[in-house]
């Protein structure tokens, strides 16, 4: 376990370095810069600005300086928000995105898995058809359409929940449901197909032949193995929800990190683009590694040892 974790950590560092290098190269390959505006700035002023932010240094020096600062957890100052650093922006806005993402992940898991299990146990019954109907809608309809429909029904017509902004649990309900729609539907379908496959295995038939109660067969033998593909999906899904919520944040005017990321691209705010990309990359890599470490807990037959079997 320790050697596997160490190896994965080393590989993760390499992946993050590659992402930093590619992002840095792409940013600087595009014509223009963070201080390029329609209104031309005098050359002397432009030189002073570039000197202040060290944009006049050679690219290799800017790159190496960034890596050195990153090693000290310093993501640099924002070019467009005077007096604020990228660390400040992430520290202020990521907790909001984290709350929204955690609520969406909880909805997707705690509704998606039971729905998939019920659908598999009641295959070709009305419960199965009803689950498949709603999961098809959840996968087919984009999150921004679901968000618009939820706002129209629950905020405008029924006036039960606020339509936008961020200020409490009631503000979290609609964006969390809109963001959880597609993952919840996918988890339900994945759980259903995996459960059907596991329920047809010989060891399940043997357990039934021994007369074990249905709930023990389901929870102790079937569900545990059926959840392995679901866990495989939940890792990237969690990262995708936490990093891909900027559309929902924009619709509901939520001050999360996704909105800053999109704005920084428009503004060519190099340090914010790179800092948020690094932060998200570490998050994605970390969650994927966590999923790999959970596998043996679900199925002891899965080994994380790097040694070859003889």
């Amino acid at each position: 376990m320790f050697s596997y974790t160490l190896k994965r950590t080393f590989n993760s560092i390499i992946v993050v370095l590659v992402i930093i290098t590619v992002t840095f190269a792409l940013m600087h390959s595009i014509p223009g810069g963070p201080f390029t505006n329609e209104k031309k700035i005098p050359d002397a002023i432009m030189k002073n600005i570039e000197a202040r932010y060290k944009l006049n240094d050679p690219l290799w020096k800017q790159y190496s300086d960034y890596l050195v600062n990153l090693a000290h957890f310093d993501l640099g100052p924002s070019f467009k928000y005077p007096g604020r650093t990228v660390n400040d922006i992430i520290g202020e806005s990521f907790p909001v995105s984290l709350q929204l993402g955690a609520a969406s992940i909880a909805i997707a898991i705690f509704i998606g898995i039971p729905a998939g299990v019920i659908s598999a146990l009641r295959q070709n019954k009305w419960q199965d058809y009803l689950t498949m109907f709603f999961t098809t809608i959840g996968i087919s309809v984009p999150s921004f359409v679901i968000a618009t429909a939820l706002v129209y029904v629950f905020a405008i017509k029924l006036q039960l929940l606020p339509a936008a902004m961020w200020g409490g649990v009631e503000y979290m309900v609609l964006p969390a449901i809109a963001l959880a729609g597609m993952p919840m539907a996918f988890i339900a379908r994945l759980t259903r197909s995996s459960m059907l496959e596991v329920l047809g295995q010989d060891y399940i038939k043997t357990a039934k032949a021994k007369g074990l109660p249905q709930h023990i067969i389901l929870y102790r033998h079937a569900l545990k193995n059926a959840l392995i593909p679901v866990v495989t999906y939940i890792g990237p899904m969690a990262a995708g929800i936490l990093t891909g919520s900027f559309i929902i944040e924009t619709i509901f005017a939520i001050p999360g990190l996704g909105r800053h990321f999109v704005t920084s691209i428009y503004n060519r705010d190099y340090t914010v683009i790179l800092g948020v990309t690094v932060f998200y990359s570490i998050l994605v890599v970390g969650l994927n590694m966590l999923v790999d470490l959970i596998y043996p807990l679900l199925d002891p037959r899965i080994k994380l040892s790097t040694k070859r079997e003889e």
Side-chain angles (χ1 to χ4, degrees), residues 10-220:
F10 176 76
N11 291 337
S12 300
I13 293 173
I14 299 297
V15 170
V16 173
L17 281 175
V18 171
I19 292 173
I20 293 172
T21 306
V22 171
T23 307
F24 185 88
L26 287 175
M27 283 191 317
H28 288 275
S29 64
I30 300 174
F35 302 104
T36 303
N37 300 316
E38 294 180 358
K39 184 178 179 181
K40 184 174 176 57
I41 300 176
D43 292 339
I45 297 177
M46 179 62 80
K47 288 181 179 178
N48 287 335
I49 293 174
E50 291 180 346
R52 178 185 176 186
Y53 290 104
K54 299 181 180 179
L55 292 173
N56 53 357
D57 288 345
L59 284 181
W60 67 267
K61 189 171 188 314
Q62 293 183 44
Y63 177 74
S64 60
D65 287 345
Y66 186 83
L67 292 182
V68 171
N69 292 332
L70 181 63
H72 295 85
F73 302 102
D74 181 8
L75 297 174
S78 169
F79 293 162
K80 292 295 182 180
Y81 299 99
R84 299 183 68 187
T85 66
V86 180
N87 297 59
D88 296 334
I89 293 173
I90 293 176
E92 293 170 5
S93 54
F94 181 67
V96 176
S97 296
L98 182 62
Q99 291 177 43
L100 175 60
S104 302
I105 292 169
I107 292 172
I109 291 175
F110 290 113
I111 295 179
I113 291 178
V117 171
I118 293 172
S119 181
L121 294 177
R122 308 296 295 172
Q123 188 183 15
N124 296 328
K125 302 289 177 53
W126 68 268
Q127 296 93 334
D128 186 23
Y129 296 137
L130 188 66
T131 303
M132 289 300 100
F133 173 76
F134 281 108
T135 56
T136 302
I137 292 177
I139 291 176
S140 306
V141 180
S143 60
F144 60 87
V145 176
I146 296 176
T148 306
L150 290 173
V151 169
Y152 179 75
V153 175
F154 293 99
I156 297 176
K157 287 296 181 182
L158 301 179
Q159 296 186 350
L160 295 176
L161 295 166
M165 304 304 290
W166 190 259
V169 177
E170 66 272 19
Y171 291 86
M172 192 186 300
V173 176
L174 294 184
I177 293 174
L179 195 58
M182 183 177 291
M184 180 171 58
F186 200 87
I187 286 176
R189 295 180 75 93
L190 197 59
T191 303
R192 177 185 180 274
S193 62
S194 184
M195 277 293 292
L196 288 175
E197 183 180 350
V198 170
L199 290 174
Q201 297 292 322
D202 291 338
Y203 69 92
I204 297 294
K205 295 176 182 176
T206 304
K208 289 180 179 177
K210 288 182 177 179
L212 289 178
Q214 180 70 18
H215 67 278
I216 292 181
I217 296 175
L218 176 64
Y219 293 107
R220 185 175 296 176

Side-chain angles (χ1 to χ4, degrees), residues 236-254:
M237 178 208 74
I241 286 179
L242 293 174
T243 60
S245 60
F246 56 87
I247 296 177
I248 298 299
E249 290 179 2
T250 303
I251 292 175
F252 289 95
I254 297 172

